[in-house]
Amino acid sequence: SPSNLLDIKSNGSSKGLDIHHSNGNMVAQLIHGGSGDEGQLKLYDSNIETVKIAGESGVNSFINSGNFGVGTSSPAQKLQINGAVYATLGLYSDHSYSGNRNWRFITNGFGSGAWGGLALRTSTGPGLIPNTTRFGIDYLGNVGIGINTPSALLEIGNGVLGPNVGNLYVLSNTSHQAI
């Protein structure tokens, strides 16, 4: 066990503060752990690193200790955000199947002028950035499928339903009804 519960290290590869439990287990570190002047905060549970916030570019940060909440002190899922979020949401597959596509929701990237809309984009192959718009809603509420600037409440781009298909079919319990 350490001789002190708080160790201050001024040389070596992990300069900084180490905080230990009375049983000797590491509890927390605030260290310089890189090649420049960047820092890291590490938290431990039974000597296992569960939280790491790294200031160095290219070094991963993570929270691996339960659920994470923003705007809540009792998150019910891995990530729970209560409040407005300004973000582009990317959904990336970790499987290598050749038909996999990555997906992304973006705001302000759909409709006339591309302001105020919401778009769903996919990649054109596995591992690629999702830049192909498949579906969107513009700031007026117009919905476009296979078209980026719908001019009606619902506009479906040419070829979305298949080659040379002129009808949109609505399913009922007994049959397909052409519109």
Side-chain angles (χ1 to χ4, degrees):
S1 81
S3 57
N4 297 308
L5 296 182
L6 174 64
D7 291 333
I8 300 174
K9 299 180 287 184
S10 61
N11 55 22
S13 62
S14 295
K15 300 176 191 114
L17 303 174
D18 287 350
I19 301 172
H20 298 268
H21 188 274
S22 60
N23 66 9
N25 284 346
M26 181 73 71
V27 174
Q29 289 183 303
L30 180 58
I31 61 172
H32 167 265
S35 57
D37 60 358
E38 61 283 325
Q40 293 181 13
L41 170 65
K42 297 180 181 184
L43 303 177
Y44 296 82
D45 181 11
S46 300
N47 262 353
I48 298 171
E49 187 177 274
T50 57
V51 176
K52 178 179 172 182
I53 300 172
E56 184 175 3
S57 177
V59 175
N60 290 334
S61 295
F62 59 85
I63 297 174
N64 191 19
S65 60
N67 298 337
F68 184 77
V70 176
T72 178
S73 59
S74 56
Q77 300 296 322
K78 289 291 181 190
L79 174 62
Q80 180 177 337
I81 301 172
N82 292 355
V85 176
Y86 298 94
T88 296
L89 175 63
L91 306 171
Y92 290 80
S93 175
D94 60 354
H95 296 284
S96 60
Y97 175 65
S98 64
N100 278 353
R101 298 295 182 263
N102 295 322
W103 295 80
R104 180 169 64 159
F105 284 101
I106 65 164
T107 56
N108 293 330
F110 188 80
S112 178
W115 294 107
L118 173 69
L120 176 61
R121 294 181 174 177
T122 65
S123 61
T124 56
L128 301 176
I129 295 172
N131 284 327
T132 302
T133 300
R134 302 297 184 184
F135 169 85
I137 305 170
D138 72 10
Y139 74 97
L140 296 171
N142 295 333
V143 175
I145 301 173
I147 188 166
N148 291 336
T149 54
S151 58
L153 286 176
L154 174 61
E155 188 169 345
I156 299 174
N158 187 21
V160 171
L161 300 174
N164 303 317
V165 176
N167 293 323
L168 172 66
Y169 291 94
V170 178
L171 296 176
S172 69
N173 288 338
T174 59
S175 66
H176 294 73
Q177 303 294 319
I179 296 179

